[in-house]
Amino acid sequence: MVLSHLDDLSHEQWLTAFVAQWHLLADLSFSDLLLWLPRDAGERFECIAQIRPVTGPTALEDDVIGETITHEPDHAVTVAFMTEQIAETSDNELNAGIPVDVWAVPIMRRGVCVAVLERHTNVMGLRALGALEENYMEAAGVLTSMLLEGQFPLTAPMDKALAPKVGDGVVRVQPDGLISYASPNAITAYRRLGASGDIEGENFGDLTRGLRHGVETVGQTMLSDVRQQRAAVFDVEQSRASMRFVLLPLVVGEMSVGMLVLCRDTTDLRRRDRMLVTKDATIREIHHRIKNNLQTVAALLRIQSRRMKSDEGREALRDAMRRVSSIAVVHDTLSHTLEDDVAFDAVCDRILRMVGDLAASSGEVRTKRVGSFGVVPSATATSLAMMITELCQNAIEHGLQSSSGSLEVRPLLSADKLLVDVVDDGAGLPEGFDINRQDSLGLAIISTLVEDLGGTVELMAREDADGTRARLVLPLSD
């Protein structure tokens, strides 16, 4: 028999793994659970976690987390911690006269009591005993014994979105592999997969593997896990239905008493996942096609510019081509990611290569990014790309005067704003320059975009060297 004891975890991590699974004990025992952590070598105890049952009425109306037990030697929690044995009592004081059975179970690990589990059961709210209740209570008793012996939790925490709960479906499997009990929800899930009749008395491994007609996937080691009583998680998926199974071995001392199998119908979740994957793929394909269309437009503008006889018209078409290409870069980036945000460093680097290659009519322009933009929302990325393109183009044409030089983009990200400096080592600004009195189309585009984003833009002389600094400041929304 192979059990997962999570031996490599610290006591704190191990208790976290236990809390991730203790809903099983709460629902199977129809009880509220409190986790008490010893402080000051057991002189006092602090409640650090609480859970209420889904399968029955609560015994504790109020939250107890944060409360402490101090200097109460007769308290069940203190007794359980000191004796390392289960302490049982009844408590009506805090429950308006409702009879409540209380169990305090020492949580043992490596021979040491690391915490105490207190179990409160509303006796008045217990349902009439039937097959479901009897099997639940029996399984809860076994899990309590395993907890006392340091053999629970059984598995590492799993994906909570798909993890089965007691209410989803419970199957009791005996050591010989035969199903001795299946809850109504478990039977319904099996029938949805194609099983017929009552599944009690069937061999669990053979029954589950027998649903192979139309099965797309199934745990390859499932039969081995059942035979060797190993904790395991596997899925059975069909085109029409799917289920997730969790196998939990039950032991008393060193003897196996079978397995507790939790199962959950995940058909709707899987269908929703497939829809989301399809939606994400569609969005990426849309961005890819937009990028292709923009690149086609840019190519047409380039061809048209070559046919222009007017230098002014040719340059205007080239500027338009660069603007369209900068937008295409953003859509190309979005076509390769599932996120709504854009890692903008790569976009900026591609823009710098583009303007450096195309804008300088003579000489060599050395472009460089210093710093990081981080991630930028996709709704902002297009405008930011356009503004950086225009600022870089303006620096090359007017600052460097279309000759050799260097150009740097220096982003600085803070908690509430993004500051971007575009600096060149050119001739600098003419005397009396005022950005508000310029009729440049590029500056007009920048002013419009930055106003839409609630930011500011200014041009100034560099303080550290000759040249010009364009400063763009954009607020960052939550």
Side-chain angles (χ1 to χ4, degrees):
M1 182 186 311
V2 180
L3 294 178
S4 174
H5 294 288
L6 311 178
D7 288 334
D8 295 334
L9 302 182
S10 65
H11 288 338
E12 182 179 353
Q13 293 171 327
W14 191 83
L15 287 174
T16 300
F18 166 68
V19 169
Q21 286 192 10
W22 72 339
H23 62 87
L24 299 176
L25 187 55
D27 291 342
L28 290 171
S29 63
F30 310 97
S31 304
D32 295 72
L33 303 182
L34 304 176
L35 184 62
W36 296 92
L37 200 63
R39 307 292 190 188
D40 304 328
E43 290 296 322
R44 62 186 181 91
F45 299 86
E46 179 184 358
C47 182
I48 61 171
Q50 177 177 357
I51 188 173
R52 296 181 175 90
V54 176
T55 53
T58 181
L60 296 172
E61 295 290 345
D62 298 327
D63 288 341
V64 187
I65 296 177
E67 293 189 8
T68 59
I69 300 172
T70 307
H71 303 302
E72 298 184 36
D74 295 332
H75 197 285
V77 172
T78 306
V79 173
F81 179 79
M82 297 300 295
T83 64
E84 297 184 356
Q85 298 292 326
I86 296 176
E88 186 176 358
T89 184
S90 296
D91 182 10
N92 298 330
E93 295 180 2
L94 300 178
N95 298 281
I98 298 175
V100 175
D101 286 343
V102 181
W103 286 30
V105 183
I107 299 179
M108 305 300 295
R109 185 164 192 245
R110 299 171 183 165
V112 177
C113 181
V114 297
V116 176
L117 177 74
E118 195 175 24
R119 202 173 95 185
H120 294 247
T121 307
N122 185 335
V123 179
M124 184 176 292
L126 281 179
R127 304 174 346 182
L129 289 181
L132 183 146
E133 289 76 18
E134 290 179 353
N135 278 275
Y136 279 18
M137 294 297 292
E138 181 181 345
V142 175
L143 291 179
T144 301
S145 299
M146 294 174 64
L147 181 62
L148 186 61
E149 297 171 2
Q151 295 177 311
F152 182 76
L154 301 172
T155 63
M158 65 189 73
D159 182 4
K160 292 184 178 180
L162 294 176
K165 302 293 179 61
V166 170
D168 295 321
V170 173
V171 178
R172 286 291 308 276
V173 180
Q174 296 304 311
D176 59 3
L178 297 182
I179 297 174
S180 61
Y181 173 76
S183 67
N185 286 344
I187 295 175
T188 299
Y190 262 97
R191 288 177 178 172
R192 191 170 184 180
L193 284 174
S196 59
D198 190 356
I199 66 175
E200 293 183 15
E202 298 284 344
N203 183 280
F204 172 76
D206 294 340
L207 173 65
T208 306
R209 292 286 292 184
L211 302 173
R212 297 181 65 90
H213 177 67
V215 170
E216 298 170 358
T217 61
V218 69
Q220 298 300 310
T221 63
M222 186 267 292
L223 289 178
S224 176
D225 293 330
V226 173
R227 285 194 297 267
Q228 299 185 34
Q229 302 287 285
R230 287 189 300 220
V233 179
F234 67 89
D235 296 288
V236 174
E237 295 187 27
Q238 295 179 348
S239 58
R240 62 179 181 180
S242 61
M243 281 179 65
R244 167 153 289 195
F245 292 86
V246 176
L247 308 183
L248 302 174
L250 301 177
V251 295
V252 175
E254 296 297 326
M255 182 179 66
S256 169
V257 293
M259 303 190 76
L260 182 71
V261 180
L262 302 179
C263 55
R264 179 180 180 182
D265 187 337
T266 57
T267 306
D268 293 337
L269 289 174
R270 295 296 186 187
R271 183 181 297 115
R272 191 178 308 157
D273 288 344
R274 287 191 287 268
M275 291 174 62
L276 289 175
V277 170
T278 302
K279 179 181 178 181
D280 289 337
T282 301
I283 292 174
R284 291 199 303 273
E285 179 62 21
I286 290 173
H287 284 300
H288 179 71
R289 294 189 181 188
I290 291 175
K291 182 264 297 185
N292 288 344
N293 291 338
L294 289 173
Q295 287 180 335
T296 300
V297 173
L300 292 174
L301 291 173
R302 183 186 296 109
I303 294 173
Q304 186 65 34
S305 69
R306 292 171 180 171
R307 295 176 176 268
M308 291 288 293
K309 296 181 179 181
S310 167
D311 292 339
E312 183 178 355
R314 185 184 305 112
E315 192 60 33
L317 287 176
R318 287 179 178 175
D319 289 342
M321 179 198 67
R322 281 187 286 270
R323 290 164 185 146
V324 172
S325 297
S326 66
I327 300 174
V329 169
V330 176
H331 285 282
D332 185 36
T333 303
L334 289 172
S335 70
H336 293 90
T337 179
L338 294 175
E339 304 296 331
D340 290 332
D341 297 332
V342 179
F344 202 80
D345 289 349
V347 175
C348 178
D349 293 344
R350 291 178 63 178
I351 290 174
L352 288 177
R353 288 195 297 269
M354 178 179 65
V355 297
D357 292 341
L358 299 179
S361 59
S362 62
E364 178 185 1
V365 177
R366 298 174 298 279
T367 60
K368 182 181 180 181
R369 172 179 55 83
V370 181
S372 176
F373 286 88
V375 293
V376 176
S378 58
T380 305
T382 299
S383 298
L384 182 58
M386 285 279 290
M387 288 186 285
I388 291 177
T389 301
E390 295 298 332
L391 290 174
C392 291
Q393 178 64 25
N394 185 71
I396 291 173
E397 288 186 358
H398 302 289
L400 301 180
Q401 298 178 349
S402 298
S403 61
S404 298
S406 64
L407 173 68
E408 290 186 1
V409 175
R410 303 173 180 174
L412 181 61
L413 188 64
S414 65
D416 59 347
K417 65 182 178 181
L418 172 64
L419 185 148
V420 183
D421 284 342
V422 178
V423 298
D424 63 67
D425 59 356
L429 295 172
E431 186 176 352
F433 176 85
D434 186 351
I435 190 173
N436 296 319
R437 296 181 180 178
Q438 304 303 309
D439 58 359
S440 166
L441 176 60
L443 291 178
I445 292 174
I446 295 172
S447 298
T448 300
L449 293 175
V450 77
E451 183 179 353
D452 291 342
L453 296 177
T456 60
V457 61
E458 58 180 333
L459 296 177
M460 65 194 83
R462 289 183 61 177
E463 299 175 354
D464 55 341
D466 294 334
T468 305
R469 178 193 305 272
R471 172 159 293 178
L472 181 67
V473 181
L474 298 177
L476 297 179
S477 63
D478 292 337

